[in-house]
Amino acid sequence: MHSSVVNLFVFFTLLLQTSIALRIATSLQWIEHTPQPYAIKNFYKGSSTATLTSGGVANLGSDPKNFDLAANAETQGLKQYANHRNIRLIYVICEVAYRIVADKRKVTKLSDLKGKKIGTIQSSSAAVFIHNMLTSVGVADNEYTTTSGKVCMKEPCASDTMPAQIKAGGLDAFGVWEPAVELGARALGANAITFQNRTAYREVYALYSTTDALNNVAKRKDIVEFVRALNKTLDVFANQPKEKDVFNFVSGQVGVDEKVVESVWEDHKWSGRWDDELIDFIVEEDKYLAKEDKRSVVPRAELEKFLDTSVLDEL
Ligand SMILES: *[C@@H]1O[C@H](CO)[C@@H](O)[C@H](O)[C@H]1NC(C)=O
Ligand SMILES: *[C@@H]1O[C@H](CO)[C@@H](O)[C@H](O)[C@H]1NC(C)=O
């Protein structure tokens, strides 16, 4: 072929590829997100590349033309779904039973948090977690104070992070995703006590898409392929983390010490498919978020549409 023809060919091939690459918005910081880069590296065989961009489900709401998929906790999914009913939750990457760490010298049981100062992250799954945990022991929202704090991913934790603050006595307790709680417990040493209740709250870190992307035949094929690759990844994460050196992979992705990754691994359930309990869980959470965000509740029938098993059913 003449070189200009070759160039033209390359140009159109590239154009085609950029137009069909899967674009995924996700936080790149948290342990929960790591099955995605693992899936892309080891298993994904779509028609083109899959790229991870820092972001989340809000990108599907604001920019559905440029994003096909997103990963986030159910909290952010529900906040977006309230105003963008084209979003669908199509896969559960990870369920995490968050923990509260408290100073044992001030708190010996969960209900002792009444009247205490609790660190968390406002408007996030961690704030819902604190609310659900305290509600589960009859402590109302106005019976304790929360303050927004920063996480720490690796020791030494800076003085403005929650693990350092609990150690210095500025917080009585805090609750958020890992590994900050683990690092808080390590900072307190023998004075640490932790609380966890999967029924009251577990983060449902999910993969989302839009009806726009799912109704596009070519795009949908790649989405199904990506979920297939994720499902293979979850099998490795759940069943062979040591054998396949997953702690090391995760450590490298998010900058958490390998030993710390290993010690919080059990709190992460690599789920995939969800069960019938999820709908009741998100109906309850949406009621709480609606109140917090001063909006109306999303009807249960609409939330049933939000949970879309059709991609899983195609695997
Ligand atoms: C966990 O939370 C559930 C739901 O709020 C509650 O019914 C149950 O008593 C709690 N379990 C413990 C051990 O506190
Ligand atoms: C997903 O992976 C699990 C193994 O972890 C397997 O049992 C299940 O059949 C897979 N699901 C699909 C739909 O392929």
Side-chain angles (χ1 to χ4, degrees), residues 36-261:
Q36 299 172 95
Y38 193 95
I40 292 169
K41 183 167 176 236
N42 296 288
F43 299 123
Y44 180 65
K45 294 195 187 68
S47 66
S48 179
T49 52
T51 58
L52 299 174
T53 304
S54 177
V57 65
N59 295 93
L60 292 182
S62 63
D63 197 8
K65 293 228 165 354
N66 283 313
F67 290 96
D68 310 305
L69 293 169
N72 243 152
E74 84 294 344
T75 305
Q76 303 310 325
L78 289 169
K79 280 172 179 272
Q80 289 301 317
Y81 189 64
N83 296 313
H84 303 281
R85 298 291 167 85
N86 59 331
I87 294 175
R88 294 291 179 270
L89 184 157
I90 61 169
Y91 193 70
V92 173
I93 297 175
C94 186
E95 286 177 85
V96 192
Y98 288 173
R99 296 183 294 163
I100 292 175
V101 59
D103 189 325
K104 213 163 37 185
R105 291 166 294 188
K106 305 174 192 169
V107 173
T108 57
K109 55 188 191 303
L110 192 53
S111 56
D112 291 343
L113 286 173
K114 193 172 181 170
K116 297 290 194 291
K117 190 173 172 192
I118 308 170
T120 187
I121 294 183
Q122 309 292 358
S123 295
S124 81
S125 51
V128 178
F129 163 62
I130 296 295
H131 162 80
N132 284 14
M133 287 293 277
L134 283 256
T135 303
S136 79
V137 288
V139 179
D141 290 356
N142 61 4
E143 293 182 304
Y144 57 95
T145 54
T146 56
T147 170
S148 235
K150 288 190 183 162
V151 300
C152 170
M153 301 300 280
K154 193 185 178 98
E155 285 161 335
C157 293
S159 62
D160 64 345
T161 64
M162 293 188 277
Q165 287 173 332
I166 200 168
K167 184 166 191 204
L171 290 175
D172 302 315
F174 73 87
V176 69
W177 46 90
E178 300 293 344
V181 173
E182 177 67 18
L183 298 179
R186 287 175 186 221
L188 286 174
N191 293 320
I193 182 167
T194 60
F195 303 98
Q196 184 178 44
N197 181 344
R198 168 174 286 278
T199 312
Y201 187 81
R202 76 270 184 193
E203 175 196 30
V204 181
Y205 186 88
L207 185 73
Y208 304 89
S209 188
T210 60
T211 50
D212 319 48
L214 293 168
N215 292 337
N216 174 324
V217 174
K219 197 57 92 184
R220 186 179 180 101
K221 263 183 98 177
D222 281 346
I223 291 172
V224 169
E225 191 48 49
F226 185 69
V227 173
R228 185 173 287 131
L230 269 182
N231 203 51
K232 289 180 182 156
T233 301
L234 261 45
D235 188 22
V236 174
F237 275 40
N239 301 315
Q240 298 180 285
K242 272 216 165 78
E243 297 84 335
K244 302 280 183 178
D245 217 11
V246 172
F247 302 137
N248 181 265
F249 175 83
V250 171
S251 167
Q253 290 287 321
V254 296
V256 174
D257 283 333
E258 200 174 324
K259 284 245 148 37
V260 175
V261 171

